[in-house]
Amino acid sequence: MTIQSVDVLYTAVATAENGRDGRVASDDGKLDVVVNPPKELGGSGAGTNPEQLFAAGYSACFQSALGVVARREGADITGSRVTARVGLGKTAGGGFGLTVELAVSIPAVDAATAHDLVEKAHQVCPYSNATRGNIAVELTVV
């Protein structure tokens, strides 16, 4: 796989302290959250976790990519929503891996148009481009 060349327009910076049971903050102070493992993984569940943060970022980014594609196609995505479900589990090699399901609702268009827009957004979205070929990403139109 060839590494994609990118003309960087913005760089986000965040620092974690104490990993999954600590704190994550951005350098500009706009993000400062406590992170804890979820109860399902034996943690307290008191704070957010990296998978929730990834789901939030991916869903927001995909929604924006959908907007880019809709403008190009002249499609109405009024009322659309993107829900990301990020799964964490063990890999066959003994490490850990992620899965993603993106559930997309675009009520202003027919099902065929919605599927087309979602597939095209998946080619535009930076998160989709970063994960492609690395983790399973399931696209669902709801």
Side-chain angles (χ1 to χ4, degrees):
M1 183 175 180
T2 305
I3 294 179
Q4 184 179 42
S5 176
V6 176
D7 181 17
V8 176
L9 302 173
Y10 168 76
T11 300
V13 179
T15 301
E17 297 172 1
N18 297 323
R20 289 183 164 273
D21 208 0
R23 175 179 165 263
V24 177
S26 61
D27 65 333
D28 62 4
K30 292 181 181 179
L31 176 73
D32 192 342
V33 295
V34 172
V35 290
N36 299 114
K39 290 182 179 181
E40 296 84 350
L41 297 178
S44 70
T48 189
N49 60 66
E51 292 70 39
Q52 287 176 328
L53 295 170
F54 188 77
Y58 203 159
S59 62
C61 189
F62 198 89
Q63 178 77 39
S64 291
L66 186 61
V68 167
V69 169
R71 282 188 294 282
R72 288 181 187 166
E73 303 284 322
D76 181 6
I77 62 164
T78 301
S80 64
R81 295 172 58 117
V82 177
T83 301
R85 292 177 178 85
V86 175
L88 171 68
K90 292 185 179 181
T91 64
F96 292 90
L98 300 174
T99 62
V100 173
E101 178 195 353
L102 296 176
V104 184
S105 171
I106 313 173
V109 299
D110 62 76
T113 301
H115 282 280
D116 184 56
L117 292 171
V118 167
E119 287 295 333
K120 288 177 178 173
H122 192 46
Q123 299 307 309
V124 171
C125 177
Y127 276 65
S128 294
N129 288 330
T131 59
R132 187 171 291 111
N134 297 308
I135 65 173
V137 177
E138 179 184 346
L139 303 174
T140 305
V141 175
V142 294

PDB file of all heavy atoms in Angstrom, residues 91-125:
ATOM      1  N   THR A  91      -7.327  -9.179  18.487  1.00  0.00           N
ATOM      2  CA  THR A  91      -7.038  -9.685  17.146  1.00  0.00           C
ATOM      3  C   THR A  91      -6.501 -11.107  17.257  1.00  0.00           C
ATOM      4  O   THR A  91      -6.104 -11.558  18.339  1.00  0.00           O
ATOM      5  CB  THR A  91      -5.984  -8.810  16.437  1.00  0.00           C
ATOM      6  OG1 THR A  91      -4.745  -8.901  17.156  1.00  0.00           O
ATOM      7  CG2 THR A  91      -6.440  -7.360  16.338  1.00  0.00           C
ATOM      8  N   ALA A  92      -6.457 -11.803  16.135  1.00  0.00           N
ATOM      9  CA  ALA A  92      -5.949 -13.170  16.112  1.00  0.00           C
ATOM     10  C   ALA A  92      -4.484 -13.226  16.539  1.00  0.00           C
ATOM     11  O   ALA A  92      -4.024 -14.218  17.099  1.00  0.00           O
ATOM     12  CB  ALA A  92      -6.116 -13.775  14.723  1.00  0.00           C
ATOM     13  N   GLY A  93      -3.745 -12.130  16.299  1.00  0.00           N
ATOM     14  CA  GLY A  93      -2.328 -12.084  16.644  1.00  0.00           C
ATOM     15  C   GLY A  93      -2.045 -11.763  18.095  1.00  0.00           C
ATOM     16  O   GLY A  93      -0.891 -11.645  18.498  1.00  0.00           O
ATOM     17  N   GLY A  94      -3.082 -11.579  18.900  1.00  0.00           N
ATOM     18  CA  GLY A  94      -2.892 -11.312  20.323  1.00  0.00           C
ATOM     19  C   GLY A  94      -2.907  -9.843  20.692  1.00  0.00           C
ATOM     20  O   GLY A  94      -2.809  -9.501  21.863  1.00  0.00           O
ATOM     21  N   GLY A  95      -3.027  -8.970  19.711  1.00  0.00           N
ATOM     22  CA  GLY A  95      -3.118  -7.540  20.005  1.00  0.00           C
ATOM     23  C   GLY A  95      -4.572  -7.113  20.091  1.00  0.00           C
ATOM     24  O   GLY A  95      -5.467  -7.926  20.327  1.00  0.00           O
ATOM     25  N   PHE A  96      -4.800  -5.836  19.883  1.00  0.00           N
ATOM     26  CA  PHE A  96      -6.149  -5.299  19.907  1.00  0.00           C
ATOM     27  C   PHE A  96      -6.425  -4.571  18.606  1.00  0.00           C
ATOM     28  O   PHE A  96      -5.522  -4.022  17.984  1.00  0.00           O
ATOM     29  CB  PHE A  96      -6.334  -4.337  21.094  1.00  0.00           C
ATOM     30  CG  PHE A  96      -6.286  -5.041  22.414  1.00  0.00           C
ATOM     31  CD1 PHE A  96      -5.084  -5.205  23.084  1.00  0.00           C
ATOM     32  CD2 PHE A  96      -7.442  -5.557  22.985  1.00  0.00           C
ATOM     33  CE1 PHE A  96      -5.028  -5.870  24.295  1.00  0.00           C
ATOM     34  CE2 PHE A  96      -7.406  -6.212  24.195  1.00  0.00           C
ATOM     35  CZ  PHE A  96      -6.199  -6.379  24.856  1.00  0.00           C
ATOM     36  N   GLY A  97      -7.681  -4.553  18.203  1.00  0.00           N
ATOM     37  CA  GLY A  97      -8.073  -3.894  16.966  1.00  0.00           C
ATOM     38  C   GLY A  97      -9.437  -3.247  17.098  1.00  0.00           C
ATOM     39  O   GLY A  97     -10.139  -3.424  18.097  1.00  0.00           O
ATOM     40  N   LEU A  98      -9.797  -2.502  16.072  1.00  0.00           N
ATOM     41  CA  LEU A  98     -11.060  -1.774  16.050  1.00  0.00           C
ATOM     42  C   LEU A  98     -11.924  -2.232  14.884  1.00  0.00           C
ATOM     43  O   LEU A  98     -11.413  -2.697  13.862  1.00  0.00           O
ATOM     44  CB  LEU A  98     -10.810  -0.269  15.886  1.00  0.00           C
ATOM     45  CG  LEU A  98      -9.991   0.447  16.950  1.00  0.00           C
ATOM     46  CD1 LEU A  98      -9.728   1.888  16.532  1.00  0.00           C
ATOM     47  CD2 LEU A  98     -10.694   0.397  18.294  1.00  0.00           C
ATOM     48  N   THR A  99     -13.228  -2.055  15.046  1.00  0.00           N
ATOM     49  CA  THR A  99     -14.187  -2.165  13.952  1.00  0.00           C
ATOM     50  C   THR A  99     -15.027  -0.896  13.983  1.00  0.00           C
ATOM     51  O   THR A  99     -15.145  -0.252  15.027  1.00  0.00           O
ATOM     52  CB  THR A  99     -15.120  -3.379  14.099  1.00  0.00           C
ATOM     53  OG1 THR A  99     -15.893  -3.235  15.295  1.00  0.00           O
ATOM     54  CG2 THR A  99     -14.336  -4.681  14.134  1.00  0.00           C
ATOM     55  N   VAL A 100     -15.581  -0.543  12.842  1.00  0.00           N
ATOM     56  CA  VAL A 100     -16.427   0.653  12.770  1.00  0.00           C
ATOM     57  C   VAL A 100     -17.664   0.339  11.948  1.00  0.00           C
ATOM     58  O   VAL A 100     -17.572  -0.298  10.890  1.00  0.00           O
ATOM     59  CB  VAL A 100     -15.671   1.840  12.122  1.00  0.00           C
ATOM     60  CG1 VAL A 100     -16.608   3.026  11.894  1.00  0.00           C
ATOM     61  CG2 VAL A 100     -14.485   2.261  12.961  1.00  0.00           C
ATOM     62  N   GLU A 101     -18.800   0.795  12.446  1.00  0.00           N
ATOM     63  CA  GLU A 101     -20.014   0.829  11.644  1.00  0.00           C
ATOM     64  C   GLU A 101     -20.465   2.275  11.582  1.00  0.00           C
ATOM     65  O   GLU A 101     -20.583   2.939  12.615  1.00  0.00           O
ATOM     66  CB  GLU A 101     -21.147   0.001  12.241  1.00  0.00           C
ATOM     67  CG  GLU A 101     -22.416   0.102  11.395  1.00  0.00           C
ATOM     68  CD  GLU A 101     -23.680  -0.385  12.070  1.00  0.00           C
ATOM     69  OE1 GLU A 101     -23.602  -0.933  13.176  1.00  0.00           O
ATOM     70  OE2 GLU A 101     -24.759  -0.183  11.478  1.00  0.00           O
ATOM     71  N   LEU A 102     -20.677   2.767  10.376  1.00  0.00           N
ATOM     72  CA  LEU A 102     -21.227   4.102  10.177  1.00  0.00           C
ATOM     73  C   LEU A 102     -22.662   3.939   9.701  1.00  0.00           C
ATOM     74  O   LEU A 102     -22.906   3.391   8.621  1.00  0.00           O
ATOM     75  CB  LEU A 102     -20.417   4.883   9.134  1.00  0.00           C
ATOM     76  CG  LEU A 102     -18.968   5.187   9.492  1.00  0.00           C
ATOM     77  CD1 LEU A 102     -18.277   5.870   8.310  1.00  0.00           C
ATOM     78  CD2 LEU A 102     -18.876   6.046  10.730  1.00  0.00           C
ATOM     79  N   ALA A 103     -23.602   4.358  10.526  1.00  0.00           N
ATOM     80  CA  ALA A 103     -25.018   4.310  10.185  1.00  0.00           C
ATOM     81  C   ALA A 103     -25.423   5.715   9.756  1.00  0.00           C
ATOM     82  O   ALA A 103     -25.338   6.656  10.545  1.00  0.00           O
ATOM     83  CB  ALA A 103     -25.841   3.839  11.370  1.00  0.00           C
ATOM     84  N   VAL A 104     -25.842   5.854   8.500  1.00  0.00           N
ATOM     85  CA  VAL A 104     -26.113   7.168   7.923  1.00  0.00           C
ATOM     86  C   VAL A 104     -27.588   7.269   7.538  1.00  0.00           C
ATOM     87  O   VAL A 104     -28.116   6.403   6.839  1.00  0.00           O
ATOM     88  CB  VAL A 104     -25.225   7.422   6.682  1.00  0.00           C
ATOM     89  CG1 VAL A 104     -25.441   8.823   6.141  1.00  0.00           C
ATOM     90  CG2 VAL A 104     -23.757   7.170   7.002  1.00  0.00           C
ATOM     91  N   SER A 105     -28.218   8.321   8.001  1.00  0.00           N
ATOM     92  CA  SER A 105     -29.602   8.615   7.653  1.00  0.00           C
ATOM     93  C   SER A 105     -29.636   9.896   6.838  1.00  0.00           C
ATOM     94  O   SER A 105     -29.096  10.925   7.265  1.00  0.00           O
ATOM     95  CB  SER A 105     -30.428   8.791   8.934  1.00  0.00           C
ATOM     96  OG  SER A 105     -31.719   9.266   8.625  1.00  0.00           O
ATOM     97  N   ILE A 106     -30.248   9.811   5.651  1.00  0.00           N
ATOM     98  CA  ILE A 106     -30.412  10.986   4.794  1.00  0.00           C
ATOM     99  C   ILE A 106     -31.876  11.003   4.348  1.00  0.00           C
ATOM    100  O   ILE A 106     -32.218  10.532   3.259  1.00  0.00           O
ATOM    101  CB  ILE A 106     -29.469  10.963   3.571  1.00  0.00           C
ATOM    102  CG1 ILE A 106     -28.035  10.601   3.971  1.00  0.00           C
ATOM    103  CG2 ILE A 106     -29.484  12.317   2.860  1.00  0.00           C
ATOM    104  CD1 ILE A 106     -27.088  10.389   2.805  1.00  0.00           C
ATOM    105  N   PRO A 107     -32.759  11.537   5.186  1.00  0.00           N
ATOM    106  CA  PRO A 107     -34.193  11.439   4.910  1.00  0.00           C
ATOM    107  C   PRO A 107     -34.683  12.224   3.695  1.00  0.00           C
ATOM    108  O   PRO A 107     -35.761  11.920   3.172  1.00  0.00           O
ATOM    109  CB  PRO A 107     -34.840  11.970   6.195  1.00  0.00           C
ATOM    110  CG  PRO A 107     -33.800  12.802   6.846  1.00  0.00           C
ATOM    111  CD  PRO A 107     -32.477  12.203   6.447  1.00  0.00           C
ATOM    112  N   ALA A 108     -33.927  13.184   3.211  1.00  0.00           N
ATOM    113  CA  ALA A 108     -34.394  14.041   2.110  1.00  0.00           C
ATOM    114  C   ALA A 108     -34.181  13.434   0.720  1.00  0.00           C
ATOM    115  O   ALA A 108     -34.590  14.029  -0.275  1.00  0.00           O
ATOM    116  CB  ALA A 108     -33.712  15.407   2.191  1.00  0.00           C
ATOM    117  N   VAL A 109     -33.535  12.256   0.650  1.00  0.00           N
ATOM    118  CA  VAL A 109     -33.289  11.624  -0.654  1.00  0.00           C
ATOM    119  C   VAL A 109     -33.774  10.173  -0.636  1.00  0.00           C
ATOM    120  O   VAL A 109     -33.957   9.582   0.425  1.00  0.00           O
ATOM    121  CB  VAL A 109     -31.789  11.677  -1.056  1.00  0.00           C
ATOM    122  CG1 VAL A 109     -31.297  13.108  -1.167  1.00  0.00           C
ATOM    123  CG2 VAL A 109     -30.928  10.887  -0.095  1.00  0.00           C
ATOM    124  N   ASP A 110     -33.934   9.589  -1.822  1.00  0.00           N
ATOM    125  CA  ASP A 110     -34.343   8.187  -1.918  1.00  0.00           C
ATOM    126  C   ASP A 110     -33.178   7.273  -1.538  1.00  0.00           C
ATOM    127  O   ASP A 110     -32.025   7.718  -1.452  1.00  0.00           O
ATOM    128  CB  ASP A 110     -34.857   7.866  -3.329  1.00  0.00           C
ATOM    129  CG  ASP A 110     -33.789   8.067  -4.389  1.00  0.00           C
ATOM    130  OD1 ASP A 110     -32.892   7.211  -4.505  1.00  0.00           O
ATOM    131  OD2 ASP A 110     -33.854   9.097  -5.094  1.00  0.00           O
ATOM    132  N   ALA A 111     -33.478   6.003  -1.312  1.00  0.00           N
ATOM    133  CA  ALA A 111     -32.483   5.043  -0.829  1.00  0.00           C
ATOM    134  C   ALA A 111     -31.288   4.901  -1.773  1.00  0.00           C
ATOM    135  O   ALA A 111     -30.141   4.856  -1.328  1.00  0.00           O
ATOM    136  CB  ALA A 111     -33.135   3.679  -0.585  1.00  0.00           C
ATOM    137  N   ALA A 112     -31.537   4.839  -3.069  1.00  0.00           N
ATOM    138  CA  ALA A 112     -30.436   4.677  -4.033  1.00  0.00           C
ATOM    139  C   ALA A 112     -29.501   5.880  -4.000  1.00  0.00           C
ATOM    140  O   ALA A 112     -28.267   5.722  -4.024  1.00  0.00           O
ATOM    141  CB  ALA A 112     -30.992   4.474  -5.441  1.00  0.00           C
ATOM    142  N   THR A 113     -30.061   7.072  -3.931  1.00  0.00           N
ATOM    143  CA  THR A 113     -29.244   8.288  -3.851  1.00  0.00           C
ATOM    144  C   THR A 113     -28.463   8.317  -2.548  1.00  0.00           C
ATOM    145  O   THR A 113     -27.277   8.658  -2.530  1.00  0.00           O
ATOM    146  CB  THR A 113     -30.122   9.548  -3.975  1.00  0.00           C
ATOM    147  OG1 THR A 113     -30.818   9.496  -5.230  1.00  0.00           O
ATOM    148  CG2 THR A 113     -29.298  10.818  -3.898  1.00  0.00           C
ATOM    149  N   ALA A 114     -29.111   7.913  -1.466  1.00  0.00           N
ATOM    150  CA  ALA A 114     -28.429   7.886  -0.162  1.00  0.00           C
ATOM    151  C   ALA A 114     -27.230   6.948  -0.195  1.00  0.00           C
ATOM    152  O   ALA A 114     -26.140   7.310   0.257  1.00  0.00           O
ATOM    153  CB  ALA A 114     -29.410   7.474   0.935  1.00  0.00           C
ATOM    154  N   HIS A 115     -27.420   5.752  -0.745  1.00  0.00           N
ATOM    155  CA  HIS A 115     -26.308   4.795  -0.849  1.00  0.00           C
ATOM    156  C   HIS A 115     -25.169   5.366  -1.674  1.00  0.00           C
ATOM    157  O   HIS A 115     -23.997   5.231  -1.313  1.00  0.00           O
ATOM    158  CB  HIS A 115     -26.787   3.468  -1.440  1.00  0.00           C
ATOM    159  CG  HIS A 115     -27.516   2.608  -0.471  1.00  0.00           C
ATOM    160  ND1 HIS A 115     -26.880   1.832   0.466  1.00  0.00           N
ATOM    161  CD2 HIS A 115     -28.836   2.422  -0.282  1.00  0.00           C
ATOM    162  CE1 HIS A 115     -27.774   1.193   1.185  1.00  0.00           C
ATOM    163  NE2 HIS A 115     -28.981   1.534   0.767  1.00  0.00           N
ATOM    164  N   ASP A 116     -25.492   6.010  -2.790  1.00  0.00           N
ATOM    165  CA  ASP A 116     -24.483   6.612  -3.663  1.00  0.00           C
ATOM    166  C   ASP A 116     -23.709   7.712  -2.934  1.00  0.00           C
ATOM    167  O   ASP A 116     -22.472   7.758  -2.992  1.00  0.00           O
ATOM    168  CB  ASP A 116     -25.155   7.171  -4.916  1.00  0.00           C
ATOM    169  CG  ASP A 116     -24.148   7.722  -5.914  1.00  0.00           C
ATOM    170  OD1 ASP A 116     -23.233   6.974  -6.330  1.00  0.00           O
ATOM    171  OD2 ASP A 116     -24.270   8.918  -6.269  1.00  0.00           O
ATOM    172  N   LEU A 117     -24.426   8.577  -2.230  1.00  0.00           N
ATOM    173  CA  LEU A 117     -23.775   9.661  -1.483  1.00  0.00           C
ATOM    174  C   LEU A 117     -22.860   9.114  -0.396  1.00  0.00           C
ATOM    175  O   LEU A 117     -21.741   9.613  -0.190  1.00  0.00           O
ATOM    176  CB  LEU A 117     -24.826  10.592  -0.871  1.00  0.00           C
ATOM    177  CG  LEU A 117     -25.653  11.426  -1.852  1.00  0.00           C
ATOM    178  CD1 LEU A 117     -26.793  12.121  -1.117  1.00  0.00           C
ATOM    179  CD2 LEU A 117     -24.775  12.441  -2.578  1.00  0.00           C
ATOM    180  N   VAL A 118     -23.322   8.088   0.308  1.00  0.00           N
ATOM    181  CA  VAL A 118     -22.526   7.493   1.391  1.00  0.00           C
ATOM    182  C   VAL A 118     -21.247   6.866   0.830  1.00  0.00           C
ATOM    183  O   VAL A 118     -20.157   7.049   1.387  1.00  0.00           O
ATOM    184  CB  VAL A 118     -23.363   6.473   2.188  1.00  0.00           C
ATOM    185  CG1 VAL A 118     -22.496   5.615   3.093  1.00  0.00           C
ATOM    186  CG2 VAL A 118     -24.430   7.205   3.006  1.00  0.00           C
ATOM    187  N   GLU A 119     -21.357   6.139  -0.266  1.00  0.00           N
ATOM    188  CA  GLU A 119     -20.165   5.530  -0.878  1.00  0.00           C
ATOM    189  C   GLU A 119     -19.169   6.597  -1.328  1.00  0.00           C
ATOM    190  O   GLU A 119     -17.965   6.455  -1.127  1.00  0.00           O
ATOM    191  CB  GLU A 119     -20.562   4.642  -2.066  1.00  0.00           C
ATOM    192  CG  GLU A 119     -21.222   3.349  -1.667  1.00  0.00           C
ATOM    193  CD  GLU A 119     -20.318   2.402  -0.879  1.00  0.00           C
ATOM    194  OE1 GLU A 119     -19.078   2.448  -1.043  1.00  0.00           O
ATOM    195  OE2 GLU A 119     -20.863   1.619  -0.085  1.00  0.00           O
ATOM    196  N   LYS A 120     -19.669   7.678  -1.907  1.00  0.00           N
ATOM    197  CA  LYS A 120     -18.786   8.756  -2.351  1.00  0.00           C
ATOM    198  C   LYS A 120     -18.164   9.488  -1.162  1.00  0.00           C
ATOM    199  O   LYS A 120     -16.987   9.853  -1.197  1.00  0.00           O
ATOM    200  CB  LYS A 120     -19.544   9.720  -3.260  1.00  0.00           C
ATOM    201  CG  LYS A 120     -19.832   9.113  -4.625  1.00  0.00           C
ATOM    202  CD  LYS A 120     -20.642  10.026  -5.508  1.00  0.00           C
ATOM    203  CE  LYS A 120     -20.854   9.376  -6.877  1.00  0.00           C
ATOM    204  NZ  LYS A 120     -21.772  10.142  -7.714  1.00  0.00           N
ATOM    205  N   ALA A 121     -18.930   9.695  -0.098  1.00  0.00           N
ATOM    206  CA  ALA A 121     -18.385  10.337   1.105  1.00  0.00           C
ATOM    207  C   ALA A 121     -17.288   9.475   1.715  1.00  0.00           C
ATOM    208  O   ALA A 121     -16.298   9.989   2.246  1.00  0.00           O
ATOM    209  CB  ALA A 121     -19.494  10.587   2.127  1.00  0.00           C
ATOM    210  N   HIS A 122     -17.435   8.163   1.613  1.00  0.00           N
ATOM    211  CA  HIS A 122     -16.431   7.231   2.149  1.00  0.00           C
ATOM    212  C   HIS A 122     -15.098   7.369   1.406  1.00  0.00           C
ATOM    213  O   HIS A 122     -14.032   7.102   1.969  1.00  0.00           O
ATOM    214  CB  HIS A 122     -16.970   5.806   2.047  1.00  0.00           C
ATOM    215  CG  HIS A 122     -16.189   4.781   2.791  1.00  0.00           C
ATOM    216  ND1 HIS A 122     -15.748   4.934   4.086  1.00  0.00           N
ATOM    217  CD2 HIS A 122     -15.774   3.549   2.410  1.00  0.00           C
ATOM    218  CE1 HIS A 122     -15.089   3.846   4.470  1.00  0.00           C
ATOM    219  NE2 HIS A 122     -15.084   2.999   3.462  1.00  0.00           N
ATOM    220  N   GLN A 123     -15.137   7.824   0.164  1.00  0.00           N
ATOM    221  CA  GLN A 123     -13.913   8.054  -0.597  1.00  0.00           C
ATOM    222  C   GLN A 123     -13.278   9.401  -0.279  1.00  0.00           C
ATOM    223  O   GLN A 123     -12.079   9.592  -0.461  1.00  0.00           O
ATOM    224  CB  GLN A 123     -14.199   7.970  -2.105  1.00  0.00           C
ATOM    225  CG  GLN A 123     -14.732   6.627  -2.553  1.00  0.00           C
ATOM    226  CD  GLN A 123     -13.860   5.471  -2.127  1.00  0.00           C
ATOM    227  OE1 GLN A 123     -12.645   5.482  -2.361  1.00  0.00           O
ATOM    228  NE2 GLN A 123     -14.445   4.468  -1.500  1.00  0.00           N
ATOM    229  N   VAL A 124     -14.072  10.346   0.231  1.00  0.00           N
ATOM    230  CA  VAL A 124     -13.615  11.708   0.524  1.00  0.00           C
ATOM    231  C   VAL A 124     -13.141  11.863   1.965  1.00  0.00           C
ATOM    232  O   VAL A 124     -12.170  12.562   2.244  1.00  0.00           O
ATOM    233  CB  VAL A 124     -14.760  12.720   0.236  1.00  0.00           C
ATOM    234  CG1 VAL A 124     -14.409  14.112   0.718  1.00  0.00           C
ATOM    235  CG2 VAL A 124     -15.084  12.735  -1.251  1.00  0.00           C
ATOM    236  N   CYS A 125     -13.813  11.203   2.899  1.00  0.00           N
ATOM    237  CA  CYS A 125     -13.568  11.395   4.330  1.00  0.00           C
ATOM    238  C   CYS A 125     -12.140  11.022   4.735  1.00  0.00           C
ATOM    239  O   CYS A 125     -11.673   9.915   4.460  1.00  0.00           O
ATOM    240  CB  CYS A 125     -14.566  10.550   5.121  1.00  0.00           C
ATOM    241  SG  CYS A 125     -14.316  10.617   6.906  1.00  0.00           S
TER     242      CYS A 125
END
